[in-house]
Amino acid sequence: MPYKINGPITTLAGLRKVFEECDSPAQAIEAIEQASAESIVEFDHEMAEVMRTRIAESGTSIEHTTIDALLMSLEPPPTLSKSNRAKLPPTPPERTVEDVAALANSPSRPPEVSDFIERAMALREADTDTGGFGSNITELELLLTQPENFLLGLALDYGTEACDEAYQNMINSHKHTTSCGDVSSFLFRTLTDADSATHTKYTSDDDPAGGSIKVITDELRKDGDQILRVSLGPHSFIVEKRGSFNEGSCRVFQAYDSGGGQGGYSFAIAFERDTPIDTPSFLAHMEAIMYSPYPDRDPRWADFRNATQTIFHGTVDPLRVPASYDLRKCIEVDVPQTVKSLEDALRSFNKLAETRAREFHDFRSNKAQIDVQTYHQLRWPKSWGL
């Protein structure tokens, strides 16, 4: 049954209450969209940032055009500065008739994810207003989560004298990470038209013989490039396919949320370490994982262990699923209808990153020379009930 918002919502607490009372983020977004159309919701900048993040994390296909219009009204349209434009591909030279004909017969390719990340860091470096925060891969990873939530974790997990040092140690050592869901949602919504993506969910109950790999098999066997968002049990990640099935490759972009230490790794570590795998081998690894568990002493366990080590580096157990599923195994795949151009992807990135970079920069600058907990209480008093 749809959730109905009756009274006006003008505070962040009221907005969060809707998400708490609804059965799912999609239901909350649908209710807020209806209330926005009826002028019941009034967003401020803080509420707008939370709403953008909630929509991005949900991956919902619920229409939210009124919400988008209201959020856009709170900030100028994202633009690229002159210094940023210099980082983008130069205008191509004039082409002959033969060149144009050749291009017309070849499909356009979406940007490579690794290239997008490198360009995104170049844009962050050029942003002098925030001290270039996000110009390296470790800082860029922090922009995948809300500064309010990240810094609150520091304030609660460490004493007031230790959390500043803990923050700097995380930056220096990569021993921090956003969740795998934050990483995959951020990349998927930045690089693709996520709202029109096809979402497919298979469980071991649907096909105990292992046919749940079919949706990935079908996509990887297509010619051309593709970006998929895959959730395997509790772990979600991005699969980037480049080229044909027989001659192309797949690369995984992921993080695993165990603090970047033993039993986990940050997105920064994965980005620098993980490399493309030829597509037939990648599909064979996924099949070995999805067709398990095998009978005891079945020789296919060797293929399973090799697959999990190659893709997840031995830290993610793809057989483990959240208790809420009440299932042995589950896989979910999001397939976008379109993938954005590099310029559009960078604009989407800027829209999300600028505000967060400013928050992290202001905290890092710490001009008032106060500890993390006091800083957080002054900046976000509602988090502390103040």
Side-chain angles (χ1 to χ4, degrees):
M1 183 176 180
Y3 181 91
K4 177 67 175 177
I5 299 175
N6 296 314
I9 297 178
T10 58
T11 65
L12 183 58
L15 185 66
R16 286 175 170 161
K17 185 178 180 182
V18 174
F19 282 91
E20 292 170 358
E21 293 181 349
C22 286
D23 296 332
S24 67
Q27 186 186 49
I29 293 168
E30 185 176 23
I32 295 170
E33 171 67 12
Q34 181 62 37
S36 299
E38 297 170 1
S39 300
I40 296 177
V41 178
E42 182 179 347
F43 290 98
D44 60 24
H45 286 279
E46 191 173 18
M47 293 168 65
E49 178 65 6
V50 170
M51 195 67 212
R52 292 187 189 98
T53 302
R54 292 282 191 165
I55 291 174
E57 291 176 347
S58 70
T60 182
S61 59
I62 294 294
E63 184 175 309
H64 42 81
T65 54
T66 304
I67 294 174
D68 289 343
L70 290 173
L71 300 186
M72 286 292 291
S73 70
L74 292 174
E75 63 179 14
T79 58
L80 297 177
S81 66
K82 292 182 179 179
S83 60
N84 288 346
R85 290 194 190 104
K87 303 286 185 178
L88 298 176
T91 303
E94 290 186 14
R95 300 184 183 276
T96 66
V97 174
E98 290 78 14
D99 290 335
V100 174
L103 288 173
N105 292 327
S106 61
S108 60
R109 303 188 72 190
E112 293 189 22
V113 179
S114 58
D115 184 38
F116 160 76
I117 299 232
E118 297 288 350
R119 299 297 184 97
M121 287 189 288
L123 290 182
R124 298 304 322 138
E125 183 178 14
D127 187 355
T128 56
D129 291 340
T130 61
F133 190 94
S135 60
N136 63 61
I137 190 65
T138 310
E139 291 181 349
L140 185 79
E141 180 180 8
L142 294 184
L143 301 183
L144 307 187
T145 191
Q146 285 277 15
E148 178 180 1
N149 297 337
F150 182 86
L151 297 178
L152 178 62
L154 283 179
L156 294 178
D157 292 343
Y158 299 88
T160 56
E161 296 180 357
C163 48
D164 293 283
E165 182 180 357
Y167 169 84
Q168 194 57 50
N169 287 340
M170 288 179 182
I171 292 293
N172 294 338
S173 67
H174 293 192
K175 290 182 182 290
H176 70 88
T177 182
T178 52
S179 72
C180 60
D182 284 339
V183 169
S184 63
S185 176
F186 172 87
L187 290 176
F188 195 69
R189 295 195 67 83
T190 302
L191 293 163
T192 75
D193 180 13
D195 289 334
S196 65
T198 301
H199 179 82
T200 305
K201 177 178 178 178
Y202 287 99
T203 71
S204 54
D205 288 352
D206 294 328
D207 190 345
S212 50
I213 193 67
K214 183 178 185 300
V215 63
I216 293 182
T217 301
D218 290 346
E219 291 301 321
L220 296 188
R221 288 192 175 278
K222 292 179 181 178
D223 281 337
D225 304 335
Q226 183 59 285
I227 293 176
L228 309 175
R229 186 184 186 213
V230 180
S231 295
L232 182 57
H235 184 52
S236 64
F237 50 94
I238 292 293
V239 176
E240 177 192 42
K241 172 181 174 287
R242 306 291 292 185
S244 66
F245 178 78
N246 291 322
E247 298 178 359
S249 64
C250 290
R251 180 174 175 180
V252 171
F253 294 86
Q254 61 186 329
Y256 185 52
D257 52 359
S258 291
Q262 184 177 3
Y265 44 82
S266 68
F267 175 70
I269 290 174
F271 180 75
E272 294 174 348
R273 175 201 61 202
D274 294 348
T275 56
I277 305 169
D278 68 90
T279 304
S281 295
F282 179 81
L283 181 57
H285 289 324
M286 291 299 297
E287 288 176 336
I289 292 171
M290 286 306 299
Y291 277 83
S292 62
Y294 306 110
D296 291 344
R297 300 178 181 175
D298 191 302
R300 288 175 294 178
W301 278 117
D303 294 332
F304 170 84
R305 287 189 291 270
N306 180 48
T308 57
Q309 179 62 35
T310 301
I311 298 177
F312 306 125
H313 303 276
T315 61
V316 179
D317 180 2
L319 298 182
R320 181 171 59 90
V321 298
S324 59
Y325 284 131
D326 192 28
L327 298 164
R328 185 181 63 190
K329 186 163 43 185
C330 176
I331 186 171
E332 299 178 66
V333 183
D334 290 296
V335 181
Q337 299 300 310
T338 58
V339 177
K340 296 177 183 176
S341 67
L342 177 59
E343 288 80 3
D344 286 343
L346 289 172
R347 289 189 183 94
S348 296
F349 166 79
N350 266 347
K351 184 177 179 181
L352 175 66
E354 284 178 352
T355 301
R356 296 181 179 185
R358 185 169 291 105
E359 295 286 4
F360 276 115
H361 173 63
D362 290 347
F363 162 74
R364 183 179 62 174
S365 302
N366 198 6
K367 296 177 181 178
Q369 296 297 307
I370 55 179
D371 61 81
V372 178
Q373 181 168 319
T374 304
Y375 177 91
H376 198 282
Q377 288 175 338
L378 292 173
R379 178 64 185 83
W380 295 287
K382 292 180 181 179
S383 297
W384 299 86
L386 302 176

